[in-house]
Structures are given as structure tokens and as C-alpha cells.
Amino acid sequence: MASQKLLVKDVIKKADVLLEVVDARFPEETRNSEIEKEMLRTKKPFIIVLNKCDLVPKDKLEKAKSRMAKAAPAVFVSSKERFGTTMLRHKILEVANIRDRDILVGCIGYPNTGKSSVINGVAGRGKASTSAISGHTKGVQLVNAGSRIVFLDTPGVIPFDEHDEYIQGLLGIKDSTHLKDQIGVALKIIEKLVEEQKDVLESFYNISATDGNSYDILEIIGMQSNFLKKKGQVDETRTAIRIINDWQKGLLLAEKP
Ligand SMILES: Nc1nc2c(ncn2[C@@H]2O[C@H](COP(=O)(O)OP(=O)(O)OP(=O)(O)O)[C@@H](O)[C@H]2O)c(=O)[nH]1
Ligand SMILES: [Mg+2]
């Protein structure tokens, strides 16, 4: 992990402009304060790229964008649907303000947020290698995107704060069998859903989540799924694993905008 941090620091040092690629489904959770501090310290211009915005309703995106705007300009992108990539190219040229040489653009962010896909969105398909399995990009890769833009693609930054397990569960960096605190992660997923898309949670598990805290809701989901232990108590671990799996499979997402 130490070498990972050094690698990211080095990219921040070398680049003229930085892209912090976050997952638009959970933009706050996939921002990394340590990286943002480092970018501010070196006074490098940076852009927050909210990628995968094809998976998020428009009103949620707008809210996220205005919250981000305090830190840095934010651009919505769907690498999948090639939305926002021209805007991103313009934004890079604007913030870099370099006219006489190539612009080095460092692309950083958590694993699997779509860093390599964003680069492909701007540079053209297939220039950077991508994968559904996180941890795909190894080392720093140079990708020429034309019109003086050269990207530095990086491996995902490994989360390193107390939200580790939650982020790893949320982003699918670790599947349910590899998470230590499965119940804790499931409770966080429930909290997030209650806050942002309670109706999806209720209809998917066929429950009513009114007034309950996340723990009560986990119990209700366990009951409803008939995940019971011998004495009739809810099997919380089994319920938690189901919730994490459903989330990671994308079954708990709101309808597309
Ligand atoms: N729906 C959707 N999926 C996307 C989008 N961008 C990337 N993905 C998917 O997200 C997964 C990860 O994409 P990558 O570009 O490899 O992500 P990365 O951040 O480079 O990943 P690492 O190199 O492993 O850190 C792939 O399955 C992509 O198809 C997007 O805009 N929308
Ligand atoms: Mg990659």
C-alpha cells in the first residue's frame, strides 16, 4: 500500500492537471480526502469526474455536482454512453491553460470507478485497458489522446481510512465472502438506501421501512427472506450477505433517469 501511495503522489507531482474519478452512484464515498489535500498542496488544477452517470437519476447528479463544486469543477461523464467526454476534454484544456506543449493529465481514484474507461471516452475506445474486475490497471500507463492531451492512467487507490470495509463492499472491491464485518457493511448499505432511495429498498424486499433504524430493517428483510436460525431468530449474517450481494449485482438501483 505504501508503494501505491508513492505512485499516486508521483503522478500528482508530474501531472499538469488531475482528474479525480468518482463513481456517480456514491460520489461522496468515493472522493478521497488524502488525495484532494495533496492536490491542493501542490496547487495543481483538478477536476472531479462523476463517472457512470448513466446509472444515476439526474436530480441526484445535480445535487452531487453542487456539493462538489466547492472543492473543484465537476463534470458528469458516462464512459459507457460516451456522454460528457467532449465537455471533459474542453475542461482539461481550459484549466491547464498550457499552449506550447503536451498536457499531462493524471487520472486517479478508487479501484473500479472507471478511470481507464474515462480515458477511453476522451482518447478513443481501447486505448486504455479496462475490466469489470477491480485492480485491473497495473502501474502507470501513458495514453495519448490527441490534441496535446496525454493521460497517465493509474491503478485504483486503495482506501485507507476507517470506512475501508464499507467502501470496499459498496464498490465491489471485495465480495461478501471477503468482508470481515458483513453486518456492518449491510447496515451502511441500508442506511444509504433509506436516505436516497427508500422506495427501491421497500419494493425490492417487499417490506415497509417506515420509522425503523437500519438494524430493524435488516431484521425485517431477514424475516421476509425466511433466513431464520433454529430458534426462529433472524440469521443476521446470512441476511447481510444477501443484501451485499444484491447491492453488488446492481439490483438495488433506482430506475434509470
Ligand atoms: N454503467 C457504466 N459502467 C462503466 C462506466 N465506466 C466504466 N464502467 C464499468 O466499470 C468497470 C471498471 O472500469 P475500468 O475503466 O476498468 O475502471 P478503473 O477505475 O480503471 O479500474 P482499475 O484499473 O481496476 O482501478 C468496467 O466494468 C466498466 O465497463 C460508465 O460510465 N457506466
Ligand atoms: Mg484501470
Side-chain angles (χ1 to χ4, degrees), residues 39-77:
M39 293 193 290
L40 289 170
R41 197 182 65 77
T42 53
K43 299 201 172 64
K44 297 281 169 90
F46 74 97
I47 301 168
I48 300 178
V49 179
L50 290 118
N51 185 41
K52 307 198 186 185
C53 72
D54 53 289
L55 299 173
V56 179
K58 200 153 190 261
D59 57 334
K60 194 184 161 202
L61 281 176
E62 290 295 345
K63 274 190 214 143
K65 189 174 173 177
S66 52
R67 278 198 306 270
M68 309 261 149
K70 288 184 200 124
V75 179
F76 302 147
V77 171

Side-chain angles (χ1 to χ4, degrees), residues 116 129 137 153:
S116 305
S129 173
T137 304
D153 191 9

Side-chain angles (χ1 to χ4, degrees), residues 51-55 77-81 110-118 129-137 153-156:
N51 185 41
K52 307 198 186 185
C53 72
D54 53 289
L55 299 173
V77 171
S78 165
S79 316
K80 189 174 167 206
E81 295 179 359
Y110 282 109
N112 224 24
T113 51
K115 298 173 295 299
S116 305
S117 302
V118 166
S129 173
T130 65
S131 163
I133 299 161
S134 80
H136 181 70
T137 304
D153 191 9
T154 67

Side-chain angles (χ1 to χ4, degrees), residues 26 112 132 134 166-175 247-248:
F26 12 87
N112 224 24
S134 80
Y166 170 48
I167 295 178
Q168 288 172 339
L170 208 60
L171 291 181
I173 297 165
K174 280 192 182 169
D175 65 31
W247 167 265
Q248 291 189 347

